[in-house]
Amino acid sequence: MPRARRSAAAAKKGSASRGSRASTRADSEASEDEGASDILSHCSSASESVSVAEEGSGSDSQDVLSAQEQQREDKLKEDIDKLTDKSAKTRVTALSSMRLALSSQVLSDFLAERRVTLTDALERCLKKGKDEEQSLAASVLSLLVVQLGSGSEGEDVFHSLRPLLVTILTDSSAGVAARQGCASALGLCCFIAAADVEDLVSCLCVLEGILTVLYAENNGTPPPTQQGLVCAAMQSWALLLTICPASRIEKTLESHLPRLSGVLACESVGLRIAAGESLALLYELARDLEEDFYSEATDALCVTLKQLATDSNKYRAKSDRRKQRSIFRDVLHYIESSEYQAETIKFGLEVMYVDSWARRRTYGLFKDALGSGVRHHLQYNEVLRDIFSLGPPAGPGRRSNQSHIWSILPPSKPELKRGAGSETSARTFYRRLLSLQESAVSH
């Protein structure tokens, strides 16, 4: 201490007259040293207390998170139990709660443990329920498969409930909302959990059967009550086409390309848009098989697309006109130039570029199923990250290394449009695999 050093220097001078004062000062300094030691000891103790408090705070936060997770699981357990309640209102409420929970959280482990119980409960809701309950049950089924994935667990759930989905979808006496929900669920579940090409082609044929309503009408417009159903069936059908073998794509081009163009004249904006996006997808799939693909109907189709891309009819809602013009400009641009206008999807610290009509259809259907929770699932759901080639989920505080992934690369470089490692290459490989399966089945 400074005062102690000064006291020691004075003592060395040997001044008799200041001896007593030096002694007194030395005693005083010793007292101050003891006080300083006490202060330092107190500060050290305080620091240790702060450190312990910080550790306690972190532990408390973890405890809070664990408690919240436990509450969510307890709520889900209650909802699963309520699916077997005698009251239809109680079952509908439970299904709505489960749909919200599964779309906003990743609960694959929890759901895998209760897969059999939940499958049985959903089967009961689909069999015994009415329109709203069946529609909600189909939505929850889709979300369940999105969480379980393409392994044996997801396949088992899909194979158990697929017959019911097909039965409701093809039953003209069933509720329209129920049939529409089953159309969406059939496409999404088959896309994720189809075990072989037979499953894929079977689901595709069922969905094509719904589209015959479009082709049967003179102006391509089904009754207003069925427009949502036909639109959902078309979107699911288009999704499954993205993983079909080449032989199936060729048959689809022959049978659907001419007739689908006629749907662009229908009165429903939703159906016109779904048909336009499906036509762009068909051209993309055809050009994957044959780079210079050209159809005799292409010129007439482009004329129709130009009209829709500049449509200014006042009897249509302004928002409908704006959406229609935007989408049909993209469709026309692709059919004329084979160039897709890439979209950017941001989630967390990651960015994904959707750079094909096939990937747009895939992302669109997952977005419809998951709603606002789609970005959370893109970050943490391994099933979606595998489908979109995003790699494993990033750990806390670190960013995924995804420089090699097609879907997060900007498509400005020519080699990324149709080059190695692109989505097209992956899809072509999958088609070849399915073609081999198809050949094995035929023999």
Side-chain angles (χ1 to χ4, degrees):
M1 299 287 292
R3 289 188 181 181
R5 284 197 296 269
R6 286 198 298 269
S7 178
K12 288 181 182 179
K13 292 181 180 180
S15 173
S17 62
R18 299 174 61 186
S20 60
R21 278 184 293 175
S23 176
T24 303
R25 183 174 295 178
D27 292 341
S28 175
E29 296 302 331
S31 176
E32 288 182 6
D33 286 346
E34 290 178 1
S37 298
D38 290 342
I39 292 172
L40 290 174
S41 176
H42 175 74
C43 290
S44 176
S45 299
S47 177
E48 290 176 2
S49 299
V50 170
S51 177
V52 171
E54 288 176 350
E55 291 179 3
S57 177
S59 177
D60 291 343
S61 299
Q62 189 62 37
D63 290 342
V64 170
L65 291 175
S66 298
Q68 290 175 345
E69 183 177 354
Q70 187 61 47
Q71 289 177 354
R72 288 195 294 265
E73 291 185 357
D74 291 342
K75 180 65 170 66
L76 268 175
K77 290 176 186 177
E78 292 178 9
D79 290 334
I80 293 173
D81 291 338
K82 289 178 181 178
L83 294 183
T84 57
D85 195 273
K86 293 182 179 180
S87 169
K89 184 178 180 179
T90 300
R91 296 195 301 271
V92 166
T93 302
L95 286 168
S96 297
S97 177
M98 288 188 66
R99 181 175 63 177
L100 178 61
L102 269 60
S103 64
S104 59
Q105 305 166 53
V106 178
L107 304 161
S108 52
D109 292 338
F110 173 87
L111 295 171
E113 293 174 0
R114 295 158 181 81
R115 170 177 55 85
V116 176
T117 301
L118 187 50
T119 302
D120 291 341
L122 290 175
E123 181 178 10
R124 184 182 185 280
C125 292
L126 288 169
K127 281 183 176 179
K128 306 294 184 182
K130 300 299 181 184
D131 195 20
E132 182 183 9
E133 183 177 346
Q134 290 175 315
S135 176
L136 285 169
S139 297
V140 173
L141 170 59
S142 297
L143 296 172
L144 176 60
V145 174
V146 167
Q147 301 254 5
L148 296 178
S150 59
S152 59
E153 295 168 340
E155 288 180 10
D156 289 345
V157 172
F158 175 53
H159 287 154
S160 297
L161 299 182
R162 184 186 64 179
L164 264 177
L165 294 178
V166 173
T167 298
I168 296 172
L169 176 57
T170 56
D171 182 4
S172 58
S173 64
V176 175
R179 297 179 70 192
Q180 182 174 337
C182 288
S184 298
L186 186 65
L188 194 60
C189 293
C190 181
F191 180 82
I192 295 172
D196 51 42
V197 70
E198 286 185 329
D199 286 346
L200 176 61
V201 173
S202 173
C203 292
L204 202 65
C205 290
V206 171
L207 293 166
E208 284 179 344
I210 304 299
L211 299 185
T212 56
V213 175
L214 277 175
Y215 305 145
E217 300 295 329
N218 293 330
N219 61 350
T221 304
T225 55
Q226 294 189 18
Q227 289 176 4
L229 165 63
V230 176
C231 191
M234 185 183 297
Q235 291 171 339
S236 290
W237 170 75
L239 176 69
L240 296 186
L241 285 177
T242 65
I243 57 171
C244 273
S247 59
R248 188 71 193 184
I249 296 296
E250 291 170 353
K251 292 178 181 178
T252 301
L253 290 171
E254 293 175 4
S255 60
H256 288 275
L257 195 57
R259 293 189 290 178
L260 199 57
S261 300
V263 183
L264 298 176
C266 74
E267 297 177 1
S268 168
V269 174
L271 275 176
R272 284 200 304 274
I273 290 174
E277 292 178 333
S278 298
L279 281 166
L281 175 63
L282 286 176
Y283 270 83
E284 182 177 82
L285 297 175
R287 288 166 180 169
D288 284 347
L289 301 177
E290 182 182 344
E291 187 174 352
D292 298 326
F293 172 81
Y294 180 81
S295 169
E296 294 179 356
T298 301
D299 291 339
L301 174 60
C302 288
V303 172
T304 302
L305 292 174
K306 287 177 182 177
Q307 293 173 350
L308 293 170
T310 57
D311 185 14
S312 59
N313 288 325
K314 298 298 183 181
Y315 66 87
R316 294 194 179 108
K318 187 176 182 180
S319 59
D320 288 344
R321 294 199 307 270
R322 186 184 300 112
K323 184 178 181 181
Q324 176 180 286
R325 287 196 297 264
S326 174
I327 290 176
F328 281 107
R329 279 196 299 268
D330 292 343
V331 173
L332 176 63
H333 180 71
Y334 178 78
I335 291 178
E336 288 183 332
S337 65
S338 296
E339 294 180 359
Y340 180 83
Q341 302 295 319
E343 302 170 68
T344 302
I345 310 297
K346 296 182 180 180
F347 49 98
L349 297 175
E350 299 173 85
V351 177
M352 181 175 75
Y353 286 85
V354 179
D355 63 352
S356 71
W357 288 101
R359 198 53 54 180
R360 174 173 175 154
R361 179 67 267 146
T362 306
Y363 174 72
L365 213 56
F366 278 105
K367 184 180 179 181
D368 290 342
L370 295 167
S372 60
V374 66
R375 284 174 168 77
H376 178 80
H377 279 264
L378 284 172
Q379 279 186 273
Y380 303 110
N381 187 325
E382 293 184 3
V383 177
L384 260 70
R385 295 187 69 85
D386 181 54
I387 288 172
F388 290 100
S389 302
L390 295 171
R398 67 182 178 87
R399 191 166 182 168
S400 297
N401 179 17
Q402 299 171 326
S403 59
H404 65 290
I405 301 300
W406 74 267
S407 56
I408 58 92
L409 289 171
S412 57
K413 296 182 180 180
E415 63 270 19
L416 297 179
K417 286 187 177 179
R418 289 289 182 263
S422 69
E423 173 271 337
T424 302
S425 299
R427 191 168 67 244
T428 301
F429 173 80
Y430 189 52
R431 284 207 204 109
R432 287 174 182 168
L433 178 62
L434 290 176
S435 296
L436 290 174
Q437 292 180 348
E438 191 177 46
S439 300
V441 170
S442 62
H443 291 299

CSV table of all heavy atoms in Angstrom, one decimal, residues 122-154:
chain,number,residue,atom,x,y,z
A,122,LEU,N,-56.5,-40.9,-35.5
A,122,LEU,CA,-56.8,-40.2,-36.8
A,122,LEU,C,-57.7,-41.1,-37.7
A,122,LEU,O,-58.6,-40.6,-38.4
A,122,LEU,CB,-55.5,-39.8,-37.5
A,122,LEU,CG,-54.7,-38.7,-36.8
A,122,LEU,CD1,-53.3,-38.6,-37.6
A,122,LEU,CD2,-55.4,-37.4,-36.8
A,123,GLU,N,-57.5,-42.4,-37.7
A,123,GLU,CA,-58.3,-43.3,-38.5
A,123,GLU,C,-59.7,-43.2,-38.0
A,123,GLU,O,-60.7,-43.2,-38.9
A,123,GLU,CB,-57.8,-44.7,-38.3
A,123,GLU,CG,-58.6,-45.7,-39.2
A,123,GLU,CD,-58.0,-47.1,-39.0
A,123,GLU,OE1,-57.1,-47.3,-38.2
A,123,GLU,OE2,-58.4,-48.0,-39.8
A,124,ARG,N,-59.9,-43.1,-36.7
A,124,ARG,CA,-61.3,-43.0,-36.2
A,124,ARG,C,-62.0,-41.7,-36.6
A,124,ARG,O,-63.1,-41.7,-37.0
A,124,ARG,CB,-61.3,-43.1,-34.7
A,124,ARG,CG,-62.7,-43.1,-34.0
A,124,ARG,CD,-62.6,-43.2,-32.5
A,124,ARG,NE,-63.9,-43.3,-31.9
A,124,ARG,CZ,-64.7,-42.3,-31.7
A,124,ARG,NH1,-64.3,-41.1,-32.1
A,124,ARG,NH2,-65.9,-42.5,-31.1
A,125,CYS,N,-61.2,-40.6,-36.6
A,125,CYS,CA,-61.7,-39.3,-37.0
A,125,CYS,C,-62.1,-39.3,-38.5
A,125,CYS,O,-63.1,-38.7,-38.9
A,125,CYS,CB,-60.7,-38.2,-36.7
A,125,CYS,SG,-60.4,-37.9,-34.9
A,126,LEU,N,-61.3,-39.9,-39.3
A,126,LEU,CA,-61.6,-40.0,-40.7
A,126,LEU,C,-62.8,-40.8,-41.0
A,126,LEU,O,-63.5,-40.6,-41.9
A,126,LEU,CB,-60.3,-40.5,-41.5
A,126,LEU,CG,-59.1,-39.5,-41.6
A,126,LEU,CD1,-57.9,-40.3,-42.1
A,126,LEU,CD2,-59.5,-38.3,-42.5
A,127,LYS,N,-62.9,-41.9,-40.3
A,127,LYS,CA,-64.0,-42.9,-40.5
A,127,LYS,C,-65.4,-42.3,-40.0
A,127,LYS,O,-66.4,-42.4,-40.7
A,127,LYS,CB,-63.7,-44.2,-39.9
A,127,LYS,CG,-62.8,-45.1,-40.7
A,127,LYS,CD,-62.6,-46.4,-39.9
A,127,LYS,CE,-61.8,-47.4,-40.7
A,127,LYS,NZ,-61.6,-48.7,-40.0
A,128,LYS,N,-65.3,-41.8,-38.8
A,128,LYS,CA,-66.6,-41.5,-38.1
A,128,LYS,C,-66.9,-40.0,-38.1
A,128,LYS,O,-68.1,-39.6,-37.9
A,128,LYS,CB,-66.5,-41.9,-36.6
A,128,LYS,CG,-66.1,-43.3,-36.3
A,128,LYS,CD,-67.2,-44.3,-36.8
A,128,LYS,CE,-66.8,-45.7,-36.5
A,128,LYS,NZ,-67.9,-46.7,-37.0
A,129,GLY,N,-66.0,-39.2,-38.4
A,129,GLY,CA,-66.2,-37.7,-38.4
A,129,GLY,C,-67.0,-37.2,-39.6
A,129,GLY,O,-67.1,-37.9,-40.6
A,130,LYS,N,-67.4,-36.0,-39.5
A,130,LYS,CA,-68.1,-35.3,-40.6
A,130,LYS,C,-67.1,-34.4,-41.3
A,130,LYS,O,-65.9,-34.5,-41.1
A,130,LYS,CB,-69.2,-34.4,-40.0
A,130,LYS,CG,-70.3,-35.3,-39.3
A,130,LYS,CD,-70.9,-36.3,-40.2
A,130,LYS,CE,-72.0,-37.1,-39.4
A,130,LYS,NZ,-72.6,-38.2,-40.3
A,131,ASP,N,-67.6,-33.5,-42.1
A,131,ASP,CA,-66.8,-32.8,-43.1
A,131,ASP,C,-65.6,-32.0,-42.4
A,131,ASP,O,-64.4,-32.3,-42.8
A,131,ASP,CB,-67.7,-31.7,-43.8
A,131,ASP,CG,-67.0,-31.1,-45.0
A,131,ASP,OD1,-66.1,-31.8,-45.5
A,131,ASP,OD2,-67.4,-30.1,-45.5
A,132,GLU,N,-65.8,-31.2,-41.4
A,132,GLU,CA,-64.8,-30.4,-40.8
A,132,GLU,C,-63.8,-31.3,-40.0
A,132,GLU,O,-62.6,-31.1,-40.1
A,132,GLU,CB,-65.4,-29.4,-39.8
A,132,GLU,CG,-64.4,-28.5,-39.1
A,132,GLU,CD,-65.0,-27.6,-38.1
A,132,GLU,OE1,-66.2,-27.7,-37.8
A,132,GLU,OE2,-64.2,-26.7,-37.6
A,133,GLU,N,-64.3,-32.3,-39.3
A,133,GLU,CA,-63.4,-33.2,-38.6
A,133,GLU,C,-62.5,-34.0,-39.5
A,133,GLU,O,-61.3,-34.1,-39.3
A,133,GLU,CB,-64.2,-34.1,-37.7
A,133,GLU,CG,-63.4,-35.0,-36.9
A,133,GLU,CD,-64.2,-35.9,-36.0
A,133,GLU,OE1,-65.4,-35.7,-35.8
A,133,GLU,OE2,-63.7,-36.9,-35.4
A,134,GLN,N,-63.0,-34.5,-40.6
A,134,GLN,CA,-62.2,-35.2,-41.6
A,134,GLN,C,-61.2,-34.3,-42.2
A,134,GLN,O,-60.0,-34.8,-42.4
A,134,GLN,CB,-63.2,-35.8,-42.7
A,134,GLN,CG,-64.1,-36.9,-42.2
A,134,GLN,CD,-65.0,-37.4,-43.2
A,134,GLN,OE1,-65.7,-36.6,-43.9
A,134,GLN,NE2,-65.2,-38.7,-43.4
A,135,SER,N,-61.5,-33.1,-42.5
A,135,SER,CA,-60.6,-32.2,-43.1
A,135,SER,C,-59.4,-31.9,-42.2
A,135,SER,O,-58.2,-31.9,-42.6
A,135,SER,CB,-61.3,-30.9,-43.5
A,135,SER,OG,-60.4,-29.9,-44.0
A,136,LEU,N,-59.7,-31.6,-40.9
A,136,LEU,CA,-58.7,-31.4,-39.9
A,136,LEU,C,-57.8,-32.6,-39.7
A,136,LEU,O,-56.6,-32.5,-39.5
A,136,LEU,CB,-59.3,-31.0,-38.6
A,136,LEU,CG,-59.9,-29.5,-38.5
A,136,LEU,CD1,-60.7,-29.3,-37.3
A,136,LEU,CD2,-58.7,-28.5,-38.6
A,137,ALA,N,-58.5,-33.8,-39.6
A,137,ALA,CA,-57.7,-35.1,-39.4
A,137,ALA,C,-56.7,-35.3,-40.6
A,137,ALA,O,-55.6,-35.7,-40.4
A,137,ALA,CB,-58.7,-36.2,-39.3
A,138,ALA,N,-57.1,-35.0,-41.8
A,138,ALA,CA,-56.2,-35.1,-43.0
A,138,ALA,C,-55.1,-34.1,-42.8
A,138,ALA,O,-53.9,-34.5,-43.2
A,138,ALA,CB,-57.0,-34.8,-44.3
A,139,SER,N,-55.3,-32.9,-42.4
A,139,SER,CA,-54.2,-31.9,-42.2
A,139,SER,C,-53.3,-32.4,-41.1
A,139,SER,O,-52.0,-32.3,-41.3
A,139,SER,CB,-54.8,-30.6,-41.8
A,139,SER,OG,-55.6,-30.0,-42.8
A,140,VAL,N,-53.8,-32.9,-40.0
A,140,VAL,CA,-52.9,-33.4,-38.9
A,140,VAL,C,-52.1,-34.6,-39.4
A,140,VAL,O,-50.9,-34.7,-39.1
A,140,VAL,CB,-53.7,-33.8,-37.7
A,140,VAL,CG1,-52.8,-34.5,-36.6
A,140,VAL,CG2,-54.4,-32.5,-37.1
A,141,LEU,N,-52.7,-35.4,-40.2
A,141,LEU,CA,-52.0,-36.6,-40.8
A,141,LEU,C,-50.8,-36.1,-41.7
A,141,LEU,O,-49.7,-36.6,-41.6
A,141,LEU,CB,-52.9,-37.4,-41.7
A,141,LEU,CG,-52.3,-38.5,-42.5
A,141,LEU,CD1,-51.5,-39.5,-41.7
A,141,LEU,CD2,-53.3,-39.2,-43.4
A,142,SER,N,-51.0,-35.1,-42.5
A,142,SER,CA,-50.0,-34.5,-43.3
A,142,SER,C,-48.8,-34.0,-42.4
A,142,SER,O,-47.6,-34.3,-42.7
A,142,SER,CB,-50.5,-33.4,-44.2
A,142,SER,OG,-51.4,-33.8,-45.1
A,143,LEU,N,-49.1,-33.3,-41.4
A,143,LEU,CA,-48.1,-32.8,-40.5
A,143,LEU,C,-47.4,-33.9,-39.7
A,143,LEU,O,-46.2,-33.7,-39.4
A,143,LEU,CB,-48.8,-31.8,-39.5
A,143,LEU,CG,-49.4,-30.5,-40.2
A,143,LEU,CD1,-50.2,-29.7,-39.1
A,143,LEU,CD2,-48.3,-29.7,-40.8
A,144,LEU,N,-48.1,-34.9,-39.4
A,144,LEU,CA,-47.5,-36.1,-38.7
A,144,LEU,C,-46.4,-36.7,-39.6
A,144,LEU,O,-45.3,-37.0,-39.2
A,144,LEU,CB,-48.5,-37.1,-38.3
A,144,LEU,CG,-48.0,-38.4,-37.7
A,144,LEU,CD1,-47.3,-38.1,-36.4
A,144,LEU,CD2,-49.2,-39.3,-37.4
A,145,VAL,N,-46.7,-36.9,-40.9
A,145,VAL,CA,-45.8,-37.5,-41.8
A,145,VAL,C,-44.6,-36.5,-42.1
A,145,VAL,O,-43.5,-37.0,-42.2
A,145,VAL,CB,-46.5,-37.9,-43.1
A,145,VAL,CG1,-45.5,-38.4,-44.2
A,145,VAL,CG2,-47.5,-39.0,-42.9
A,146,VAL,N,-44.9,-35.2,-42.1
A,146,VAL,CA,-43.8,-34.2,-42.3
A,146,VAL,C,-42.8,-34.3,-41.1
A,146,VAL,O,-41.6,-34.1,-41.3
A,146,VAL,CB,-44.4,-32.8,-42.4
A,146,VAL,CG1,-43.4,-31.8,-42.2
A,146,VAL,CG2,-45.2,-32.6,-43.7
A,147,GLN,N,-43.3,-34.7,-39.9
A,147,GLN,CA,-42.4,-34.8,-38.8
A,147,GLN,C,-41.7,-36.2,-38.8
A,147,GLN,O,-40.5,-36.2,-38.4
A,147,GLN,CB,-43.2,-34.6,-37.5
A,147,GLN,CG,-44.0,-33.3,-37.4
A,147,GLN,CD,-43.3,-32.4,-36.4
A,147,GLN,OE1,-42.3,-32.7,-35.8
A,147,GLN,NE2,-44.0,-31.2,-36.2
A,148,LEU,N,-42.4,-37.2,-39.2
A,148,LEU,CA,-41.8,-38.6,-39.1
A,148,LEU,C,-40.9,-38.9,-40.2
A,148,LEU,O,-39.9,-39.6,-40.1
A,148,LEU,CB,-42.9,-39.6,-39.0
A,148,LEU,CG,-43.8,-39.6,-37.8
A,148,LEU,CD1,-44.9,-40.7,-37.9
A,148,LEU,CD2,-43.0,-39.8,-36.5
A,149,GLY,N,-41.2,-38.3,-41.4
A,149,GLY,CA,-40.3,-38.5,-42.6
A,149,GLY,C,-40.5,-39.7,-43.4
A,149,GLY,O,-41.6,-40.4,-43.3
A,150,SER,N,-39.5,-40.1,-44.2
A,150,SER,CA,-39.7,-41.2,-45.2
A,150,SER,C,-39.2,-42.5,-44.6
A,150,SER,O,-39.1,-43.5,-45.4
A,150,SER,CB,-38.9,-40.8,-46.4
A,150,SER,OG,-37.5,-40.6,-46.1
A,151,GLY,N,-38.9,-42.6,-43.4
A,151,GLY,CA,-38.4,-43.9,-42.8
A,151,GLY,C,-39.6,-44.8,-42.6
A,151,GLY,O,-40.7,-44.6,-43.0
A,152,SER,N,-39.4,-45.9,-41.9
A,152,SER,CA,-40.4,-46.9,-41.7
A,152,SER,C,-41.6,-46.4,-40.9
A,152,SER,O,-42.7,-46.8,-41.2
A,152,SER,CB,-39.8,-48.1,-40.9
A,152,SER,OG,-39.3,-47.7,-39.7
A,153,GLU,N,-41.3,-45.4,-40.0
A,153,GLU,CA,-42.4,-44.9,-39.2
A,153,GLU,C,-43.4,-44.1,-40.1
A,153,GLU,O,-44.6,-44.2,-40.0
A,153,GLU,CB,-41.9,-44.0,-38.1
A,153,GLU,CG,-41.1,-44.8,-37.1
A,153,GLU,CD,-40.3,-43.9,-36.1
A,153,GLU,OE1,-40.1,-42.7,-36.5
A,153,GLU,OE2,-39.9,-44.4,-35.1
A,154,GLY,N,-42.8,-43.2,-40.9
A,154,GLY,CA,-43.7,-42.4,-41.8
A,154,GLY,C,-44.4,-43.3,-42.9
A,154,GLY,O,-45.6,-43.1,-43.2
